[in-house]
Amino acid sequence: MPVKTNGGPPLKTPKPRQFGGGLLILITLLLLLNFVIPSFGPRPPQIPYSDFIAQVQAGKVDQALVGNNQIEFTLKPDPNAPATESQRPRIYTTTPVAVDLDLPKILRENGVEFGAPPPNNNGWISTLLGWVVPPLIFFGIWGWLLNRQGGGPQALTVGKSKARIYSEGITGVKFSDVAGVDEAKVELQEIVDFLKNANKYTRLGAKIPKGVLLIGPPGTGKTLLAKAIAGEAGVPFFSISGSEFIELFVGVGASRVRDLFEQAKQQAPCIVFIDELDALGKSRAQGSMFGGNDEREQTLNQLLTEMDGFDANTGVIIIAATNRPEILDPALRRPGRFDRQVLVDRPDKIGREAILKVHARNVKLAEDVDLGMIAIRTPGFAGADLANLVNEAALLAARNNRQAVTMADFNEAIERVVAGLEKKSRVLNEQEKKRVAYHEVGHAIVGALMPGAGKVEKISIVPRGVGALGYTLQLPEEDRFLMAEDEIRGRIATLLGGRSAEELIFNNIVSTGASDDIQKATDLAERMVTLYGMSDYLGPVAFEKPQAQFLEGYSSPRRAVSPKVTEEIDNEVKETVERAHHIALAILDKNRDLLEETAQELLGKEVLEGEALRERLNRAVAPPEMDTWLMTGNLPEDTALMQTTLA
Ligand code: ADP
Ligand code: MG
Ligand code: ZN
């Protein structure tokens, strides 16, 4: 781990820390005094209100001071009392039951001298305490909190995080320390190049991207990659985490962003790394459900302003990381901001072996250790899990007093790490893996035949967290703004391709894995019918109000329609999905050999991509009814629906 070095510009001398602490102690003392002072001296005894009234009516009360919460009264001297008795206190207090409006009358009738107590008689000290102490406490706590959060000596210097140093200096991490993410490295090499010889680019007027967004699941090496870029280029590395920006006090986050960029610009060329960008850049539309988070918005706005405000050629490059790209504010991805996105995915088998090699460099391995074998046994492991695995194995070997780490140690370590991971994410067993493979190939084959959806780029059964067990990546050939009817139909069929493959191969025993697909397919079908007016039967009538269209799984209120129309809508949606389902099944049935073959290969390699994948998918053939369906949305008259297990 790199040591934090003071690489920053000269900074203001921070205020001494004891000030905050001393103040707190003083405040506490004053506060105690405030409660203690009035209780000095003997307190008059308290008696029940009813007794007080009885005493008044018996004519024994001399004077009464009637306060809001308390009545203090003096008894007349008792002439019959013995000498000792007269020593007894003659002043008592009582608490009125409620505001007793009859009390003045009773008192007057019994000749009691009465009045209200004088306003607070503690004098200047209580005034001082009352007015001065609460603000002091407030500021004291504020300062203390800031102090604690900032980790720096800055009590009571609210918002001024000047003392904070974001620079970690030269990281010393190299690209060779990061393995299994070769594609990302190729893309990032350009950034390194620019940082190293800025002149070469600026001379030609080339603009380098200002912001790079690293997208990928936790532990895949995003932070490590960012450090490696800085290390390769030999430039300082500034880092801060998105969640750190979210402070209790409005304005602090924004001022931190300002400071960070100020410091960075002075040390350009350099890298500014923002981890957990999603904590900061959550879509404003989403966050505003409960009035939004002003602080986050301010911070985000400040970040956008800073990014827009400087020239990329100043040599400050901002790298951010997130594992939830889908919730990011779209403004962050605009040109001139994080317009370059690099996927840092979980490694495949070969990648895992490479990562194991990196981490085994510092470990003494026994002859029998086969890193390739370990890679095979660790599907779904991210880089951090593999690093953990090597360390765990080394610990086991040490515990057993071995000279070197053996394969047996690794095997035991795998079991331990898997057990830990099973709680966190998912590691698939063989049967599940097989199902996911067929499911994904199902998507791919159907997708390959559909119009306008773009090429199927990649199929993977490397699990990606709890949600997706595998995935099929389809890249559009161009930016799309409109989707034609047949393309939406194609999309629905593609979504159902996964589930359909499972039905075919596993004899109709389907799994829960396709629920997200089915959700999306149904949503699309519903939109076709209710929003885009694409149902022949219901006509071009919008039943739905287009509100939250930018969200995939939106749900907007339907226009008021009759129950009959509602039923028709439901029917249309169901039929739309069912026809697409039939087509998906028909395609896979016709290409069953291809499905089998591709799925088996995927099971072996975990990832299929590029030309090899395309060549396979090009062999897919369409069933006869597909064209009619694409054009009209209907199946030819004589078609018998293959299966309609969908609810
Ligand atoms: P992320 O930022 O994506 O959550 P990190 O970069 O913090 O992941 O990774 C944590 C640790 O896991 C790293 O310090 C490194 O030891 C190990 N690691 C993760 N990915 C890789 C990788 N691709 N190659 C080598 N080591 C890795
Ligand atoms: Mg990280
Ligand atoms: Zn699916």
Side-chain angles (χ1 to χ4, degrees), residues 363-364 387-418:
V363 175
K364 207 157 165 240
N388 182 13
L389 171 69
V390 173
N391 188 47
E392 193 78 26
L395 285 176
L396 283 170
R399 208 171 297 154
N400 294 325
N401 294 321
R402 275 196 255 281
Q403 295 302 312
V405 188
T406 63
M407 195 65 179
D409 295 322
F410 272 103
N411 287 339
E412 194 178 338
I414 290 175
E415 271 163 39
R416 292 185 177 205
V417 178
V418 167

Side-chain angles (χ1 to χ4, degrees), residues 218-234:
T220 46
K222 298 181 292 299
T223 309
L224 196 63
L225 262 175
K227 285 185 177 166
I229 296 170
E232 286 281 332

Side-chain angles (χ1 to χ4, degrees), residues 439-440 443 495 498-499 513-514 517:
H439 178 106
E440 297 304 332
H443 281 308
L495 282 166
R499 152 80 173 239
D517 294 336

Side-chain angles (χ1 to χ4, degrees), residues 1 177-181 217-224 275 355 358-359 383-384 387:
M1 283 291 108
D177 297 323
V178 197
V181 285
T220 46
K222 298 181 292 299
T223 309
L224 196 63
D275 209 349
I355 295 174
V358 168
H359 289 280

Side-chain angles (χ1 to χ4, degrees), residues 301-502:
N301 285 339
Q302 186 65 37
L303 176 66
L304 296 178
T305 313
E306 292 286 350
M307 287 191 81
D308 293 345
F310 72 85
D311 191 349
N313 296 342
T314 52
V316 179
I317 289 183
I318 305 155
I319 301 179
T322 180
N323 49 23
R324 309 181 60 196
E326 70 283 355
I327 66 164
L328 286 186
D329 197 302
L332 279 166
R333 307 218 197 164
R334 262 181 227 140
R337 294 171 181 166
F338 295 105
D339 46 7
R340 185 80 57 105
Q341 290 159 28
V342 176
L343 189 67
V344 188
D345 213 342
R346 287 220 174 91
D348 58 9
K349 201 170 3 183
I350 295 166
R352 289 198 297 271
E353 186 174 346
I355 295 174
L356 284 167
K357 263 190 201 130
V358 168
H359 289 280
R361 280 191 305 215
N362 311 319
V363 175
K364 207 157 165 240
L365 297 183
E367 286 286 301
D368 69 334
V369 173
D370 179 352
L371 294 181
M373 200 53 219
I374 299 171
I376 291 175
R377 295 197 48 200
T378 49
F381 276 42
D385 304 325
L386 293 167
N388 182 13
L389 171 69
V390 173
N391 188 47
E392 193 78 26
L395 285 176
L396 283 170
R399 208 171 297 154
N400 294 325
N401 294 321
R402 275 196 255 281
Q403 295 302 312
V405 188
T406 63
M407 195 65 179
D409 295 322
F410 272 103
N411 287 339
E412 194 178 338
I414 290 175
E415 271 163 39
R416 292 185 177 205
V417 178
V418 167
L421 280 179
E422 264 169 359
K423 286 182 210 131
K424 264 196 297 177
S425 58
R426 293 273 283 120
V427 174
L428 299 181
N429 66 30
E430 282 308 309
Q431 187 59 28
E432 285 172 318
K433 232 166 113 175
K434 189 171 165 210
R435 190 181 275 280
V436 174
Y438 279 96
H439 178 106
E440 297 304 332
V441 175
H443 281 308
I445 291 178
V446 176
L449 288 171
M450 294 300 150
K455 295 238 151 46
V456 178
E457 285 292 326
K458 184 173 178 179
I459 320 178
S460 160
I461 53 166
V462 180
R464 313 207 311 157
V466 188
L469 302 176
Y471 68 96
T472 303
L473 184 69
Q474 223 172 349
L475 289 185
E477 280 146 301
E478 62 217 300
D479 274 353
R480 299 304 303 271
F481 298 99
L482 285 174
M483 251 178 128
E485 224 176 314
D486 57 342
E487 289 169 5
I488 304 184
R489 273 182 209 121
R491 184 90 196 105
I492 299 176
T494 308
L495 282 166
L496 295 172
R499 152 80 173 239
S500 304
E502 288 186 57

Side-chain angles (χ1 to χ4, degrees), residues 222-245:
K222 298 181 292 299
T223 309
L224 196 63
L225 262 175
K227 285 185 177 166
I229 296 170
E232 286 281 332
V235 301
F237 183 74
F238 290 80
S239 84
I240 194 161
S241 160
S243 58
E244 274 178 68
F245 279 127

